[in-house]
Structure formats: C-alpha cells, structure tokens
Amino acid sequence: MSSHREAPEISKDPVADSTDVYAFVSPKKPDMVTLIANYVPLQQPNGGPNFYEFGDDVLYEIHIANSGKGKADISYQFRFFTQIRNPKTFLYNIGPISNINDPNWNRPQFYSVTRVKNGKKKMLAEKLPCPPVNVGPRSTPDYAKLSAQAVHRLGKRKVFAGQRADAFHVDLGSVFDLGGLRPFNEAHLIPLAKMDGINSVQSYNVHSIAIEVPIKEVTRNGKLPSSASAASAVIGVWTTAKRQKSRMFNDATAKYESKGPWEQVSRLGNPLVNEVLIPMADKDKWNHTAPRFDKRFARYVNKPELAVLLPVLYPKVFPNLAKYGKNRADLNAILMTGIPSGVVPGFQNYTGPVESDMVRLNVAIKPTAKPNDLGLVAGDAAGFPNGRRVNDDVVTIELRAIAGLTIPLVDPSFKPDAAASAVTDGTKAKRNARGTNKFPYLNLPGGGYQTKPGTTKAS
Amino acid sequence: MGRPRVKAVELVTDTSRRKLLAAAGAGAAAGAVALAPGAAYAAEARRSGNSAQESVVAHIKDHRSGTISLMIGEREVVVQDRDLVTRILNAAGGK
C-alpha cells in the first residue's frame, strides 16, 4: 500500500513496482514544482550483498497531463545502467565510500534523463551518478554527504535518483487482516483489544526518482498561472514503469535479455486506487492501462467494495453509509476528474470529463506555511488531493472519504456517520520517516548496520 | 498500453517471406529438426541490406492465426505469413 506490491504480476517484479507518487509546489520556491516517483518497495536496509537498485532493463517515467485529455503531454524518462568496477570480489564496496565517485564502490549506478514533449525527445543529461545505498557506518560513514552529491542541477531543474526512507505509513498487518483498524479493534466484527496502529513501512527504504522543474515547464501554456480558477493551473501527474515485451534468459551469459517495444507493467497516480479499489482480477490490467482509458474501471470507484465492507466489518458504526446506494460522485471527482469549481470554496483541480487516475495539482495554490497532514479535508488546499506532499496522511484521508465524509461535497442530503471523521489506521506521525524541507524532500534511508528488525529508526 | 492502442508494427507481405525466414532465424531455431518441405526456401534465402544484425525473438501468440511477431531492439515486427507460421509450428513440434 499505497501501491506497494498491489497487483499480482507486479508484486513479483519489485524493481518495476511503483509505490508512491508525490507532486507539490516546492515549499520555498512557489515557481517550481517537485515530482517524485518511488519504486522498489519494502527494502530492508541490511539486504546485502546485492543491495537494492533501479532496474537497468526498466523504463521509468513521470508523466504530466496538462491539456485535459488524460494523456501524457510531457514525460520525463529515466534509464539506468549499472557498472561492476571489480569483477573479482563479491563485495558491494571494498572500503569506505567517501564520495559517489569513490572507486571503493564496486557497483555504481548511473542514469539518463530525457524530456518528451509532443513526441519529441530531448536528453537533458546522462551518466548522472546515483548514491550508493546506506550500507552502514563503515561503508557509508557520511551518508548525508553522499546524498547531497547525488542531487544534480540541470539548468533550473534538480534531479535525484536513489535510495530514501519511505515516508508512506500504513498498518498493513492490521488492514489486510480482514480490514482491521487497531484503534477500533473493539468495534470489529471479530473484536480484539484496542491499540495504536503499527506502521508496517517503518524502517523500510524505497528508491526515489525526484525532479524539480519550473512550473512554466509543465503548464499547458508555458506560463506561471496566477489564478487558481484557471484550467491551465491544473496538471495531472502519474508514473509508469515499462519493460520490453520479450524477456529471455540467455544461457550463454546467464543473464536476461529484453527485446521489443516497451510495455507498461506498472503505473501509479493517486494512492490506494489499484491497491484498494480495483478488484484483484483487474489489477494487472489496470497497471497496463493508460489513465485516459480509466472509464472502464470507474465502476470500482463509483461503488467501492470497501464502502460496502466497512458497515459489515464494523456493525452499527456506519449505518448511514450502509444505506447510501448512489454512485460515489465524491470519490469520482477526487480521484478521476478532479474537483470542479464550486464544490470547495476557492478551490478546483478539475482536468475535464475524461476519467483518469492522476494526482491533480493546482500549481497556482501556494505552499502552506504550516501544512496540515490531512490536506484539503482539513482546510489545507495545498495538500492531498490537491497534489500530494510527502507528509500527507493519505491513508486517513482516503479512509474517511470512502467512509462517507466527502459525500456531502456533492450530495448535501447525506449525513456522514460520526465515525467517518474519526476513522484512521492509527499509525502515528512520530513513527514515520517524515519528509524534509529540502530537495528531494524524502529523508535519508535507514542504514543496513543500524537495522534491528522492528525497531530501526528511519535515519 | 491499454486499449484501444496503435502498435508500432511493420507488416511484411508474403513476397518477402524468404528474407524473413533468414531474419527470423527459423532454420537455426529448429536446431537439428528438418523444416521440410519448406527447407528449400531457407537454403535459397539471401540476407538483404535491411536484415536484422542482432538476435531476434519470434513469438506466435495464436497458433491458429498465421501471425508471427518478431522482437528486435525496441521494435516489434508483425508478419502475416501462414506458411512460415506453419513451418515453425511443425518445427516446434519436433516433427
């Protein structure tokens, strides 16, 4: 979850498995936008000697739709290649890695960045070094320095690709144990003792691709919008990973070879859509489908299974939700089209009638000085579902939305159940790898040596 | 990616079938299996200037269709050639 191992096929292919997408106006630079796509989920930091890395045979992309058609008007492509400096050792590093070009690092990874607009490709940079993973105090004694060296400036843009702490938080252990929410354990159909939520992602790392670009570079008219009501102020963002159509094991080299055109095997826009809303039998198809064809999946948003399950799993807690039989126009707006003007005073992130799962960001809305992790539903229009910031508590926001809290936005006759504004998985902010206020905004990854299963701190 | 979609395909007619026999590596793929009766075509085939210069993966998605996909580089070449497909299917059967 948010999209960690969310579909049968991609759960077997971690390097191509997108986990989270973030899109927000850069906190200290309101003329810049930051886009982040995370991959390679649930990395235990001590997973050597073959530590985690991006796939050399995967095409990673971050897409922006700005014309209201749900299609990629602009894409940033990232391709990686890995080098083995010393083929005679089994070690990831043969001494301390003091900088990202240190020859002691035996398996450096590099990448290229290409911008695609209107089908035309322009390579922005190549051979950019990633940082190593955080091995431990002997191997990567100054990880903050390595991380800083891996932030590359490409003109006005910044880019980073490498390991970070996963900022997402969720109680996977309880949620997937028949929809359990530990703070509400006593009210569950199969009751257990009430307790705080446990962040299942705590201490795990991911691999992040982060790019910060001028807002003017991604808007439809090439301008920095001044009015939040303008259609040109809204962009849709999602990520995809593609593999070549054919993959064959070469028995001569003992390696896989790929041939053929690129096929999408993973995609991610809004958190939890494929994870929670799309049925298991359709999840792989969803991952292979472009957002502009999401109309075929709209019924799963309009009649979400979880909204039916909540009143069953928590008897007498959601009586009003149980009786609500209409399509969930609120969820459709939040996840599939954006929220039109007139629903939330002074706010819109509508991208038109094409139903497509994208993180929609109104770039004319300035960053909030003191962000509220509950975002728009808590009155903070700079947060989810207006884009997504690193610290936004998307699990709580979406749980409450599915529980009916947002129905009155489109159907004032509905009165949400009292529990709808309280429901949460109970994961606590203090146990999460909070984001930082500096690019790439995700915190340093946990170190391998420092790992103590179940108790490791994020950094 | 998704439906509807436009594949980047190159259709090849039967007239160039002999070239394809070489490009697809059909004879080599069969190993010691003889490709009778079409083996004569393979023996006569000449590589064109546009022939593949790297390994190729051939995929017959539907054995009833007469269509074969050739994966090369970042491209997919879709060939409609029932005879070629039949010969490869026969070779794959080991008979």
Side-chain angles (χ1 to χ4, degrees), chain A residues 121-451:
Chain A
K121 293 185 177 183
K122 180 181 180 184
M123 184 176 283
L124 302 179
E126 58 182 335
K127 297 180 181 174
L128 298 173
C130 298
V133 299
N134 190 353
V135 179
R138 295 187 183 92
S139 295
T140 48
D142 188 351
Y143 199 83
K145 175 185 171 186
L146 297 171
S147 169
Q149 290 176 341
V151 173
H152 304 288
R153 289 183 179 277
L154 311 177
K156 292 182 178 178
R157 310 176 189 95
K158 280 184 190 172
V159 65
F160 171 91
Q163 193 180 43
R164 305 308 281 186
D166 195 344
F168 181 66
H169 56 93
V170 66
D171 190 341
L172 293 172
S174 184
V175 167
F176 290 124
D177 185 16
L178 288 179
L181 301 167
R182 294 182 208 254
F184 302 91
N185 265 349
E186 293 163 324
H188 194 279
L189 189 64
I190 304 172
L192 294 171
K194 175 182 173 182
M195 61 186 293
D196 284 344
I198 294 173
N199 178 16
S200 307
V201 187
Q202 181 185 353
S203 85
Y204 287 134
N205 297 326
V206 289
H207 265 57
S208 299
I209 299 170
I211 186 165
E212 185 177 55
V213 300
I215 286 175
K216 290 190 289 188
E217 186 170 307
V218 294
T219 53
R220 71 172 67 168
N221 56 12
K223 295 179 180 175
L224 184 66
S226 56
S227 169
S229 63
S232 60
V234 182
I235 60 172
V237 180
W238 73 99
T239 187
T240 60
K242 295 174 180 169
R243 283 193 175 280
Q244 286 180 274
K245 198 164 186 173
S246 165
R247 192 176 187 225
M248 179 177 285
F249 189 74
N250 185 331
D251 56 1
T253 62
K255 295 185 184 301
Y256 287 96
E257 291 180 359
S258 298
K259 299 279 183 187
W262 295 96
E263 294 282 346
Q264 182 181 307
V265 296
S266 178
R267 71 146 158 155
L268 181 58
N270 282 301
L272 308 175
V273 169
N274 200 24
E275 179 100 9
V276 171
L277 300 182
I278 308 299
M280 192 173 287
D282 273 349
K283 286 178 185 292
D284 296 331
K285 282 183 185 170
W286 191 94
N287 264 338
H288 186 55
T289 303
R292 65 183 184 277
F293 303 122
D294 278 346
K295 184 180 179 67
R296 73 182 67 166
F297 302 109
R299 64 186 185 278
Y300 303 132
V301 177
N302 297 337
K303 297 279 189 187
E305 181 185 10
L306 185 57
V308 176
L309 288 175
L310 281 174
V312 176
L313 293 172
Y314 296 89
K316 300 179 183 178
V317 176
F318 299 99
N320 295 344
L321 179 66
K323 284 183 256 176
Y324 195 73
K326 301 177 187 174
N327 277 350
R328 292 296 301 273
D330 58 320
L331 298 178
N332 190 285
I334 291 169
L335 300 172
M336 303 293 273
T337 64
I339 300 171
S341 295
V343 176
V344 177
F347 174 79
Q348 65 92 19
N349 64 352
Y350 186 63
T351 54
V354 179
E355 293 173 300
S356 48
D357 174 47
M358 305 184 289
V359 176
R360 289 172 173 81
L361 175 64
N362 187 322
V363 293
I365 294 174
K366 304 301 180 196
T368 312
K370 293 184 178 178
N372 187 319
D373 293 353
L374 294 179
L376 188 64
V377 295
D380 181 357
F384 185 79
N386 184 35
R388 180 183 173 189
R389 299 169 300 201
V390 169
N391 291 330
D392 284 345
D393 186 355
V394 292
V395 172
T396 297
I397 295 168
E398 291 198 351
L399 269 176
R400 292 181 181 181
I402 290 170
L405 188 64
T406 51
I407 294 176
L409 291 174
V410 297
D411 186 353
S413 67
F414 178 78
K415 183 183 179 189
D417 299 296
S421 57
V423 69
T424 175
D425 72 338
T427 50
K428 300 288 187 184
K430 64 183 178 184
R431 292 181 186 156
N432 303 331
R434 299 283 292 181
T436 71
N437 60 2
K438 188 176 178 184
F439 186 85
Y441 299 103
L442 291 158
N443 221 319
L444 298 178
Y449 179 87
Q450 297 91 324
T451 295

